[in-house]
Amino acid sequence: MSSPQSAYHTSPPTSSTVPAIGVRMSMHGRSLDSVLDAFQILRPMLPTYLHLLISALVPIYAGAHASLTRPSSAAKPKKSKKKKTLQGNDIEDEPEEEVESQIEGLNATDAIWFPILAGCTLGGLYLVIKWLEDPALLNTILNWYFAIFGVVGVAKMVKDSLNVMVSYIFPPRYFHEGQIWKFDEIKKVAVSQTDPSRTRQSPLPGRLQSLPLPNLVFRLLWTFRSSQSTLCIRTNLQRRGKTHIHMPPTTVFSMVSAFAIVLYYNLVARPWYLTNILGFAFAYNALQLISPSTSWTGSLILTSLFCYDIYFVFFTPLMVTVATKLDIPAKLLFPRPSSPDSTKQQLSMLGLGDVVLPGMMIGFALRLDLYLHYLRLQTTTSVLNTESTSRLSN
């Protein structure tokens, strides 16, 4: 039996092991040099890759969360009440009802037809481009076709973004210093729900109410807060009487912005950032309208379109030709470093399908997670009710 000392004894390196160590170190050094060389080559493209990654994730995140719907058991009760306008007139509000978009569930048949229809559309566009030789007319027709959906998509995206920002800056109530404060737009004060005698003059919530703003700014903020419910547009048409149209300011602003963006894109110029705005709007709304009915269906859709992508990108010129010849908002564009002999700005490209299809599965997973959350709450509540009932009976 060997002693403990001999078990841990290490013999000194011989002359044959020293060259092996040197060869190994030199190999590691060459590997590190090759990695550094590759990094130096890719370094100018890193901002483009980062821009591409963020631009792909933002519409997926926003669209997936916007597709969440509250179950009927957790819905707010419908009610209608009268409000006073700034002129002191009573108006009857519409019932507080949220309009929820219906999601189109995709089944296995849709997964089979997806690549077939996409391939037929791609082939048809390719043949039209080859026949026209100059795709300017086709670009004009398709861009005005996309303009119809672009107005609706951009308006909804801008409106939802403004509503999120407004909900943080002008909430109807907020919690601060251990109390719930509710705004009264008529009296222009925030009233404590615990002690109604305590009021605050600022129209801003929480710590924002301590900002030292001029009185003119405070009045403007109160006016804006009071107009957040509805803007009453009155028209007096002959033989039809007076018509009142109640529309939130965010809706008005979003519609004006959408028309301005689409008209500028189709009539003036088509810069890459406007193409991306329209692409974001299409992806954001598509994620709220389509979804696989099951995870197996979603996997089948992704697999079939994966094979479709491989074939039409690497084995045929169809995809590259259509994507480069058509200047339509069906892709996301990213500025990239230009070559030394080029004076024109070069752009990298990402198709909207590469954003919508993975985002569709992410949105499905998020809605499933929300369903399981409410299911756990319902199960916990039913168990507690059963235990309390059994205790009372005993």
Side-chain angles (χ1 to χ4, degrees):
M1 181 180 294
S2 62
S3 63
Q5 292 180 355
S6 62
Y8 294 97
H9 176 71
T10 304
S11 59
T14 61
S15 59
S16 61
T17 60
V18 173
I21 296 174
V23 170
R24 205 175 295 120
M25 292 179 62
S26 63
M27 291 177 61
H28 287 309
R30 287 196 298 270
S31 300
L32 183 60
D33 290 339
S34 61
V35 170
L36 292 177
D37 292 339
F39 176 77
Q40 291 298 328
I41 295 174
L42 291 176
R43 188 175 179 180
M45 292 295 297
L46 290 180
T48 302
Y49 294 149
L50 181 62
H51 187 187
L52 186 150
L53 181 63
I54 295 174
S55 299
L57 292 179
V58 167
I60 291 177
Y61 179 86
H65 282 81
S67 67
L68 296 177
T69 56
R70 184 166 44 197
S72 57
S73 59
K76 295 180 180 180
K78 297 179 182 179
K79 58 182 180 179
S80 62
K81 57 183 179 180
K82 289 185 176 182
K83 278 190 177 181
K84 289 187 176 181
T85 61
L86 296 177
Q87 290 79 14
N89 301 325
D90 290 338
I91 60 172
E92 184 73 20
D93 269 1
E94 296 293 331
E96 295 182 358
E97 181 179 359
E98 295 182 0
V99 179
E100 297 178 353
S101 57
Q102 297 295 325
I103 297 179
E104 180 70 25
L106 303 177
N107 51 34
T109 305
D110 298 322
I112 297 174
W113 278 104
F114 247 100
I116 297 175
L117 295 178
C120 292
T121 304
L122 188 66
L125 290 174
Y126 178 80
L127 292 176
V128 172
I129 291 173
K130 290 298 183 181
W131 178 63
L132 290 176
E133 294 184 357
D134 183 10
L137 177 61
L138 183 60
N139 277 325
T140 302
I141 295 173
L142 290 178
N143 275 302
W144 281 108
Y145 171 76
F146 277 103
I148 301 172
F149 304 100
V151 170
V152 179
V154 173
K156 189 177 187 308
M157 183 181 68
V158 173
K159 179 186 175 182
D160 291 348
S161 303
L162 291 176
N163 286 338
V164 170
M165 291 188 290
V166 168
S167 66
Y168 282 101
I169 302 176
F170 297 109
R173 58 181 62 84
Y174 66 93
F175 182 82
H176 189 239
E177 295 181 351
Q179 297 186 33
I180 297 177
W181 298 81
K182 186 177 180 181
F183 288 98
D184 187 345
E185 284 84 3
I186 305 301
K187 298 180 181 180
K188 295 185 178 181
V189 291
V191 183
S192 172
Q193 300 298 288
T194 306
D195 184 7
S197 61
R198 295 188 60 185
T199 59
R200 290 177 174 177
Q201 304 297 323
S202 174
L204 301 176
R207 297 180 179 179
L208 296 178
Q209 55 92 26
S210 60
L211 293 176
L213 299 177
N215 292 331
L216 177 61
V217 176
F218 272 115
R219 288 196 297 269
L220 291 176
L221 291 176
W222 273 115
T223 302
F224 185 79
R225 170 179 280 280
S226 302
S227 64
Q228 277 306 294
S229 56
T230 53
L231 283 178
C232 184
I233 303 175
R234 300 179 179 180
T235 59
N236 191 0
L237 302 177
Q238 294 182 355
R239 300 180 182 179
R240 293 190 179 183
K242 296 181 179 180
T243 303
H244 294 179
I245 302 174
H246 302 283
M247 189 177 296
T250 53
T251 302
V252 177
F253 180 81
S254 61
M255 291 178 63
V256 173
S257 302
F259 275 106
I261 290 173
V262 170
L263 291 177
Y264 186 91
Y265 183 84
N266 284 277
L267 298 178
V268 181
R270 298 171 184 169
W272 64 266
Y273 50 86
L274 286 187
T275 303
N276 288 0
I277 290 176
L278 292 170
F280 289 158
F282 292 140
Y284 174 77
N285 288 276
L287 293 177
Q288 300 177 58
L289 296 176
I290 57 175
S291 172
S293 54
T294 63
S295 59
W296 288 107
T297 303
S299 301
L300 182 59
I301 292 174
L302 293 181
T303 303
S304 61
L305 290 176
F306 175 70
C307 298
Y308 156 86
D309 235 15
I310 291 177
Y311 177 74
F312 282 104
V313 171
F314 297 103
F315 294 96
T316 69
L318 274 68
M319 182 73 75
V320 176
T321 302
V322 171
T324 54
K325 294 293 184 180
L326 293 184
D327 188 13
I328 58 177
K331 54 192 174 184
L332 301 179
L333 301 176
F334 312 96
R336 58 179 297 172
S338 301
S339 57
D341 56 345
S342 176
T343 58
K344 186 178 179 181
Q345 185 184 30
Q346 295 184 353
L347 299 171
S348 296
M349 181 177 56
L350 179 67
L352 284 186
D354 298 326
V355 177
V356 173
L357 294 174
M360 184 177 62
M361 287 299 296
I362 294 174
F364 172 79
L366 184 62
R367 289 189 295 275
L368 178 62
D369 187 59
L370 180 66
Y371 167 77
L372 295 176
H373 169 71
Y374 278 110
L375 184 62
R376 285 192 295 268
L377 290 181
Q378 185 178 4
T379 305
T380 304
T381 304
S382 61
V383 169
L384 293 177
N385 291 337
T386 304
E387 292 178 354
S388 61
T389 303
S390 61
R391 289 175 184 174
L392 291 175
S393 61
N394 293 334

